[in-house]
Amino acid sequence: NHLLNFLNKMKKLFFASLFFTICACSSFKQPKMVSFEGFSDFKMKPREISFTLSGNVLNPNKSKLKLHPSTVDVYIQQKKLGQLSNEEKIILKRNGTTDISVPVIANTEKGALIQLTTLSFKDSVEVKFVGEVKVGMGIFKKKIPINESFKTSTRFLKLKN
């Protein structure tokens, strides 16, 4: 009899925690890129480009958010350059903006280096990020879609001796 009561209480506790988890995961607001500062530390290798991506991200939530390592597609001038991945967690301040500087690696498509060299003669290019980013709040994680595009200077493409 005590075992049956205990199991019923555990079942209620399980469903209550499951309900809380579902509500908590669905209730946080998506962070937004406020400004895109550009690229730095740009290094090209065959089939791989590494650089640091800088910008300012707004977290409209009452709790800190963690951006977990994720992979998104990157396009320059509507042509796919490759897949971009970050290896570090980024913590966004609650109810405010956070300056971010993230080292990333792009596994590039065939012909990407030629494409970038050609684009270096332009003043600016449109960069677009498409995919899903894993975001966490406490123990809860959720994948959110990203489809952001920005215009940026091509000065990061100028090759240095």
Side-chain angles (χ1 to χ4, degrees):
N1 210 4
H2 290 303
L3 181 61
L4 192 58
N5 281 340
F6 178 74
L7 289 176
N8 279 334
K9 286 180 183 179
M10 289 304 289
K11 188 165 69 171
K12 287 178 185 176
L13 180 63
F14 172 75
F15 284 113
S17 64
L18 181 64
F19 177 74
F20 172 75
T21 301
I22 291 170
C23 290
C25 284
S26 64
S27 65
F28 72 80
K29 298 174 193 143
Q30 183 172 337
K32 292 187 177 23
M33 184 81 108
V34 176
S35 67
F36 178 68
E37 304 300 324
F39 303 100
S40 61
D41 304 326
F42 195 80
K43 296 178 186 116
M44 292 192 277
K45 297 179 190 172
R47 311 285 286 165
E48 183 181 286
I49 300 170
S50 61
F51 53 91
T52 301
L53 180 67
S54 300
N56 200 293
V57 179
L58 170 68
N59 175 12
N61 297 286
K62 294 178 183 174
S63 299
K64 286 191 271 185
L65 279 185
K66 291 179 189 166
L67 297 177
H68 293 273
S70 302
T71 301
V72 296
D73 292 329
V74 62
Y75 295 83
I76 295 185
Q77 298 295 97
Q78 292 87 36
K79 290 184 182 174
K80 186 174 180 180
L81 178 69
Q83 287 199 316
L84 194 68
S85 19
N86 69 309
E87 301 298 320
E88 297 179 4
K89 261 188 219 176
I90 302 162
I91 298 175
L92 302 177
K93 296 181 217 171
R94 63 188 183 103
N95 280 334
T97 56
T98 305
D99 291 329
I100 62 166
S101 226
V102 186
V104 292
I105 295 173
N107 294 316
T108 58
E109 300 282 311
K110 190 174 182 177
L113 295 179
I114 295 169
Q115 178 186 352
L116 287 174
T117 305
T118 305
L119 292 172
S120 69
F121 296 109
K122 294 185 175 214
D123 289 334
S124 65
V125 291
E126 182 181 348
V127 180
K128 185 174 185 176
F129 304 105
V130 178
E132 289 185 332
V133 177
K134 193 185 299 183
V135 178
M137 183 186 295
I139 60 170
F140 307 108
K141 291 181 186 169
K142 180 179 178 181
K143 286 188 177 181
I144 57 172
I146 184 171
N147 189 347
E148 299 280 340
S149 57
F150 303 93
K151 223 170 186 90
T152 187
S153 165
T154 58
R155 73 177 180 273
F156 71 93
L157 291 171
K158 309 296 187 226
L159 299 175
K160 300 171 191 159
N161 292 337

